Amino acid sequence: MPDARVSNTITGRDAFLRVLSDEGVVKMFGNPGTTELPIMHALSSAPEMGYVLALQEAIVIAMADGYARASGKLVSCNVHVAPGLGNAIGSIYTSFMSGTPMIVTAGQQEQGHGLTEPLLYAPLIPIATPVVKWATEVNRIEDLPRILRRAAKVATTAPTGPVFISLPGDILNNEAALDLGHPTRVDTAVRPSDAALEQLARRLLAAKKPVILAGHEIATSDAFAEAAALAETLGAPVLQQTVVHGAHFPSEHPAFIGSLNRDQKYVRRVLSDYDLMFCVGSDVLKMSVLSEVEPLPDTTKVVMVGLRDWEMGKNFPAEIALRADVKETLKVLVPLLKKLGGAQLAERAKASLAEIAPRNWTAQRAARRAKLATPPAEKPLPAEWLMMRLSESLPRDAIIVDEGLTSAGSLMSYFPFRDRNSFFGNVSGGIGWGIAAAVGVQIAEPRRRVVALIGDGSAMYSIQALWTAANQKLPMTFLICNNGGYQILKNRLKLFHGNDQPIGMDFKDPPIDASALAKGFGVPSERVDTVAGFDAALARSLAKKDGPTLIEVMVKS
């Protein structure tokens, strides 16, 4: 008697889409080529997949990255053979750094045909392996469902991240009786043992001046409220991790004092005031350029909780390192702290929050705002004034996707994080992510206004993303800060080498006209360089609900 589980005969391409759908995938981002035509053929009878076309593979991945980060859903990306996968690698690297759950697939030449080394051919697994959690190729159609199920499980299990599957054409076009299987999800919302929790609580209570380092996992575990309760209970000031690539803590909370940067001397100076740093789902002082100075003072000890055990003790030893979900841990840690600390802790916390108040984020913002009370008369516009005005003009539930680099350097001082999806930033430092990721975020958050804050240099890496925004009729705002070049490189050339004569860092001959490019992609746009011009352009953009707009703001270099 035939096995009932495998009585259905189905093509590989249809099985591929059916399994993805069963795994919860509702969006596929892609840029097709000949080897992806079997999937494109199957998509005509699977409208529920919600295919989103992007015009280059790096943009495909960045859009999917933004969508997955904002929605929390597993996402599918489909790119084209070896050159397409090569185009995508930089964006996959960024997704790997941010731990984005995605299944990346590429069409591959039919098995056997690759032996002849046809046009576009290369082994795909070695190309993808360094930037994904798992990479494989389907060699038998019977294995396709099992591989997809495993890929979904691996991508969504903490620490989450992208996986890669190579799909030969014959696998997609062949038919077989397949057992499509069922999803598996590994529950990682775990808390530490009672003994470990008590050890952590007593260590926090014993600290004379603790500080909380808030990180990425506060957002991914939806622990805004729990992190705020921790700060209130301890009366501890809160700093954001050095790479602010998400909304990691409510900015307007009285304990929040701002973000650390990636200047080792500055970070060491700040942390020297504290005897214990509690890393809550955070990276531990990730830096950029080399320094002879260690950012962590010898007098500042470390305790931490999170699901990314690779970060624990990676560069700096941790007295206590708990591999556990941030939200679940804080839900039980806060009551334990109150129980063990009693009235004495409550009084100490109240006094500490009062001491923090004159220097917290809200107080710092008010002081900076007072210095900018008079609107600038000059043009182009000062970048800090622009960041202040933008932050004050947006709806309360607006989302900013930031890759403004130097122009957006003061954004964190003005734009408040009110929920975990308020802000998305570039985790890897590889530019070109932001303008595309913002499209994915807006698809995931259709009821909120998304503003893509992008530098002119970054925009040129993936300006084609504008077409997808127009094609999808997304009600979003692209704000391009045009300072005429790679300003961050000019600044560092002068700082590190004393050289004020940059070569290959200006866009002046000829100048780039981002607003003209936007019109070519079907996005209404305008260029502004005055206070009145910016205010009017932003008001018009926010009022438009049936598609994207772009504002090119000329800013001081």
Side-chain angles (χ1 to χ4, degrees), residues 22 40 58 123 136 161-162 210 232 252 301 370 401 403 435 469 476 481 504:
D22 191 49
M40 305 311 292
T136 193
E232 290 160 20
E252 294 160 313
K301 304 307 177 185
V401 179
E403 201 175 283
I435 194 169
M476 60 188 302
C481 299

Side-chain angles (χ1 to χ4, degrees), residues 256-500:
F256 185 61
I257 59 173
S259 304
L260 290 175
N261 61 24
R262 295 188 296 282
D263 178 336
Q264 286 91 332
K265 292 179 181 177
Y266 171 80
V267 171
R268 187 180 183 90
R269 189 164 62 249
V270 170
L271 293 181
S272 64
D273 287 341
Y274 307 103
D275 63 333
L276 184 69
M277 180 171 67
F278 183 18
C279 300
V280 182
S282 67
D283 297 332
V284 187
L285 310 184
K286 180 177 283 190
M287 294 293 154
S288 298
V289 297
L290 178 67
S291 171
E292 295 179 359
V293 175
E294 287 283 3
L296 184 71
D298 296 337
T299 53
T300 306
K301 304 307 177 185
V302 177
V303 295
M304 55 193 313
V305 63
L307 287 168
R308 295 170 298 153
D309 53 322
W310 178 253
E311 294 299 323
M312 298 177 175
K314 182 175 73 173
N315 296 318
F316 306 102
E319 288 186 3
I320 300 172
L322 304 182
R323 190 181 190 278
D325 178 77
V326 166
K327 186 183 185 81
E328 293 301 313
T329 301
L330 297 185
K331 278 163 62 175
V332 288
L333 177 63
V334 170
L336 181 59
L337 285 167
K338 290 178 179 178
K339 177 184 174 183
L340 295 175
Q344 184 180 2
L345 175 61
E347 285 300 314
R348 191 175 83 176
K350 182 179 178 182
S352 179
L353 290 174
E355 185 275 327
I356 293 169
R359 59 188 179 90
N360 66 14
W361 182 87
T362 302
Q364 292 176 46
R365 178 179 60 173
R368 294 185 74 144
R369 184 191 282 159
K371 294 179 182 178
L372 297 178
T374 303
E378 73 266 31
K379 54 182 185 179
L381 290 168
E384 183 166 350
W385 179 88
L386 179 65
M387 295 305 106
M388 182 192 73
R389 190 67 138 209
L390 173 67
S391 299
E392 294 178 348
S393 303
L394 294 178
R396 280 186 62 85
D397 67 345
I399 298 170
I400 286 184
V401 179
D402 172 36
E403 201 175 283
L405 301 180
T406 51
S407 294
S410 60
L411 175 68
M412 298 295 101
S413 298
Y414 296 102
F415 182 70
F417 301 163
R418 295 192 172 110
D419 64 70
R420 63 173 175 160
N421 272 10
S422 295
F423 175 84
F424 296 93
N426 187 343
V427 58
S428 73
I431 66 174
W433 166 88
I435 194 169
V439 174
V441 172
Q442 185 69 86
I443 291 172
E445 289 276 16
R447 288 177 293 278
R448 298 174 69 173
R449 171 65 61 154
V450 173
V451 176
L453 180 59
I454 312 294
D456 52 345
S458 291
M460 292 306 106
Y461 274 64
S462 46
I463 194 72
Q464 309 97 307
L466 295 177
W467 182 87
T468 302
N471 173 258
Q472 297 284 314
K473 298 180 172 52
L474 301 176
M476 60 188 302
T477 300
F478 294 94
L479 186 63
I480 308 295
C481 299
N482 188 341
N483 55 24
Y486 295 127
Q487 189 61 45
I488 191 169
L489 293 180
K490 296 181 194 176
N491 293 350
R492 290 182 173 181
L493 183 68
K494 185 174 181 180
L495 178 65
F496 299 153
H497 299 282
N499 186 339
D500 202 17

Side-chain angles (χ1 to χ4, degrees), residues 106-142:
Q108 176 60 294
Q109 307 285 353
E110 288 79 4
Q111 295 178 101
H113 185 43
L115 179 65
T116 69
E117 298 187 358
L119 192 67
L120 303 174
Y121 174 77
L124 300 182
I125 296 174
I127 299 174
T129 294
V131 291
V132 295
K133 288 185 70 178
W134 180 54
T136 193
E137 183 170 278
V138 184
N139 300 127
R140 297 191 315 152
I141 189 172
E142 292 82 3

Side-chain angles (χ1 to χ4, degrees), residues 205-222:
L205 292 171
K208 291 185 174 116
K209 283 196 72 178
V211 64
I212 296 167
L213 189 65
H216 176 58
E217 291 178 61
I218 290 176
T220 55
S221 68
D222 193 17

